[in-house]
Amino acid sequence: MKTILITGSSSGYGLETARHFLAEGWTVIATMRRPRPELYPASERVRLLALDVTDADSIAAAIASAGPIDVLVNNAGIGVVGAFEATPMAHIRKVFETNTFGVMGMTQAAIPGMRTRGTGTIVNVTSSVTLAPMPLAAAYTASKQAIEGFTGSLAHELGAFGINAKLVEPGYAPTTQFAANTDIPVMDLIPEAYADYAAPIFASYANPPLMTKESDVAEAIWRAVHDTSGRLRFPAGADAVALMEQA
């Protein structure tokens, strides 16, 4: 029986991915800042661990408690939408602490065990903002683009030890808590000078022609984990797939 550890498993992609792998017979280690047992069925194949990916001690404790894992999914993340000019650097650093350094910290902690066993897969969840430039997302895009380059390079060096590194790139998913996982309301990051520019962009977000569902991401992660072709990137959702095809 294989074991998967998923960060950010209290909602959205992480929760759906945990449920997907659980239904497929895997043992799931669902991590989140504050464990919520009510989200998961009572099962000997489910373990909930407290984890803050911005805290090195928390990462070390979670990896030690988890024991051997076959797959690490770095899904935990926070969003930021708004004019870059108006986004405080302190908030940008906070976004990078979770979206970029949190992923790197978890990955670095998981590698030794996988390397010793000569097997394992690391899946890093980024975003379709890495597939095409999008407005009002400069800081968020930067945090995710860093992980794109990081994972591509990592795939080479870890491949020598039988470890796979993969990217899953979700599109726009309005049913997730993307906009809620931030300390600053979106409209606080839209100065008056940007109002006319931002209005049609937000209107398009309200009625997108294509979008991503949580299940799309769970299925893409499943495909990435089971891929044997050496493929690096897996777009998730109709909009992300369309962007990938246009690239």
Side-chain angles (χ1 to χ4, degrees):
M1 186 181 301
K2 293 190 173 183
T3 299
I4 184 171
L5 186 153
I6 307 166
T7 69
S9 297
S10 63
S11 64
Y13 305 148
L15 178 58
E16 186 66 24
T17 300
R19 289 171 173 170
H20 185 93
F21 276 79
L22 183 62
E24 294 290 342
W26 284 54
T27 293
V28 172
I29 301 175
T31 73
M32 57 201 78
R33 287 175 181 266
R34 290 172 291 279
R36 298 178 57 192
E38 72 275 11
L39 296 175
Y40 291 88
S43 170
E44 62 182 13
R45 291 191 291 108
V46 176
R47 292 179 59 199
L48 270 63
L49 293 179
L51 171 64
D52 178 351
V53 301
T54 69
D55 184 305
D57 291 338
S58 181
I59 289 174
I63 290 293
S65 180
I69 59 173
D70 299 286
V71 175
L72 166 65
V73 176
N74 284 310
N75 164 75
I78 58 177
V80 55
V81 175
F84 180 75
E85 175 187 344
T87 308
M89 284 303 302
H91 187 62
I92 293 171
R93 291 188 177 94
K94 182 176 181 178
V95 170
F96 269 77
E97 283 293 339
T98 297
N99 294 1
T100 308
F101 301 126
V103 170
M104 291 180 175
M106 284 298 299
T107 299
Q108 194 170 66
I111 288 172
M114 291 183 175
R115 178 175 49 75
T116 299
R117 294 188 299 277
T119 185
T121 298
I122 297 167
V123 179
N124 293 330
V125 179
T126 58
S127 169
S128 62
V129 299
T130 66
L131 301 176
M134 297 184 186
L136 302 179
Y140 178 74
T141 299
S143 73
K144 293 295 189 177
Q145 284 282 20
I147 293 303
E148 292 267 321
F150 166 72
T151 307
S153 180
L154 198 65
H156 289 292
E157 62 188 79
L158 295 186
F161 300 99
I163 304 169
N164 298 310
K166 306 287 186 179
L167 287 162
V168 168
E169 300 155 325
Y172 175 54
T175 56
T176 66
Q177 296 184 14
F178 173 83
N181 292 336
T182 180
D183 294 337
I184 305 177
V186 171
M187 296 316 297
D188 286 0
L189 300 181
I190 306 296
E192 185 177 351
Y194 285 81
D196 290 343
Y197 170 76
I201 295 171
F202 288 133
S204 69
Y205 286 161
N207 189 29
L210 298 171
M211 66 179 68
T212 296
K213 304 186 299 296
E214 288 90 335
S215 58
D216 295 329
V217 179
E219 290 162 7
I221 291 172
W222 178 263
R223 291 194 301 274
V225 167
H226 291 88
D227 176 70
T228 59
S229 71
R231 178 180 175 185
L232 175 65
R233 301 167 70 184
F234 294 79
D239 51 341
V241 170
L243 287 173
M244 175 71 84
E245 292 173 347
Q246 294 168 14

